[in-house]
Amino acid sequence: MNGLFSIPTDRVARKRKKAQGEGLLLPPRFCLRFSVEEDDVRIAGAPVKRADPGESSAADFYNQHNMGNIQTALQLGGCLARLYCGYIRKCQEPEPVLGQLAILFSYAVNRSIQCLPNSLIAQTVLSTFYNTVQQESAGLYQKVRDPVPFSLYILRDKRAEPSETYGDIFSSLCVGREDPRLVAMANREYEEFYRQCLQLAEGFSFQA
């Protein structure tokens, strides 16, 4: 090469030696490189926009609200809470039996709303249910916040062929053993309350 592009051999050797000393690797022949600013590099095509879970949830809520489903869910949650509180007040049982009944019945409420169209509606119903219970009775609300009994009922329902009834679990939570009276009472009361919750939930109409 000549003119502006001629590079003395000793300069190339010095550059190669310096680069090797810094841990770099130069090609055997010195190549002319053009410096390109990073800002000058452009990728063809429109940028890919990542989905925002928050935006998706907001859009779902907006759509459900426009269809009237959120308002219906709020009404259902309130009705379930009033049914629940009234049912507990009628129970003539001492503690800790009454406290365990409160948890068992709240589990029945959770199961009864599985028939609803989607998780957003179900969660709105459930949130309204617990908020209304708290307003009606702070003491009752505190009882249903114990996660251990709730988890035992969930595990029972996850088994393909449960070997124990709700009453069996209920009795062991109350007195630490199987009490035939408590087992029978819990099974009977649960089935009746669950039936009423399910009937109430199915009576509300949601738009698809």
Side-chain angles (χ1 to χ4, degrees):
M1 301 176 67
N2 52 39
L4 294 175
F5 295 100
S6 62
I7 301 174
T9 306
D10 58 340
R11 282 180 57 192
V12 173
R14 286 199 300 272
K15 284 179 176 291
R16 183 176 297 152
K17 185 175 181 181
K18 181 180 178 182
Q20 289 172 344
E22 294 174 354
L24 302 175
L25 180 63
L26 283 177
R29 293 183 180 178
F30 187 82
C31 301
L32 182 64
R33 307 266 179 125
F34 294 96
S35 176
V36 181
E37 294 294 334
E38 189 175 346
D39 291 342
D40 292 335
V41 178
R42 296 289 184 268
I43 300 175
V48 177
K49 184 178 180 181
R50 295 182 180 179
D52 187 342
E55 290 182 4
S56 177
S57 298
D60 288 344
F61 185 88
Y62 180 79
N63 290 335
Q64 295 296 327
H65 187 275
N66 278 351
M67 289 189 291
N69 287 344
I70 296 300
Q71 295 89 327
T72 304
L74 294 173
Q75 293 174 7
L76 175 56
C79 289
L80 285 168
R82 287 185 286 275
L83 174 66
Y84 172 84
C85 291
Y87 215 90
I88 294 293
R89 292 190 186 104
K90 291 190 297 183
C91 293
Q92 302 295 319
E93 294 289 343
E95 292 289 356
V97 175
L98 188 60
Q100 289 300 327
L101 273 175
I103 297 171
L104 180 60
F105 289 165
S106 70
Y107 183 69
V109 170
N110 278 260
R111 280 194 65 216
S112 71
I113 64 173
Q114 292 178 10
C115 66
L116 299 181
N118 58 61
S119 59
L120 176 59
I121 292 174
Q123 188 57 51
T124 303
V125 171
L126 206 56
S127 297
T128 307
F129 166 76
Y130 283 116
N131 288 338
T132 307
V133 169
Q134 186 176 24
Q135 294 169 8
E136 292 279 328
S137 172
L140 184 57
Y141 176 73
Q142 289 300 321
K143 287 183 175 67
V144 301
R145 296 184 66 187
D146 187 352
V148 175
F150 212 91
S151 299
L152 293 176
Y153 295 126
I154 292 175
L155 289 173
R156 182 261 178 199
D157 281 342
K158 287 194 174 202
R159 298 188 185 102
E161 296 181 0
S163 58
E164 54 191 356
T165 66
Y166 296 118
D168 293 328
I169 300 173
F170 175 85
S171 178
S172 65
L173 289 168
C174 289
V175 295
R177 58 184 173 80
E178 185 177 321
D179 182 311
R181 186 193 76 84
L182 290 177
V183 171
M185 183 272 291
N187 283 330
R188 181 182 65 251
E189 295 293 340
Y190 173 86
E191 290 300 329
E192 174 58 24
F193 182 68
Y194 174 70
R195 183 188 65 78
Q196 292 189 35
C197 289
L198 192 60
Q199 184 177 13
L200 184 61
E202 290 176 344
F204 280 74
S205 178
F206 293 91
Q207 302 298 317

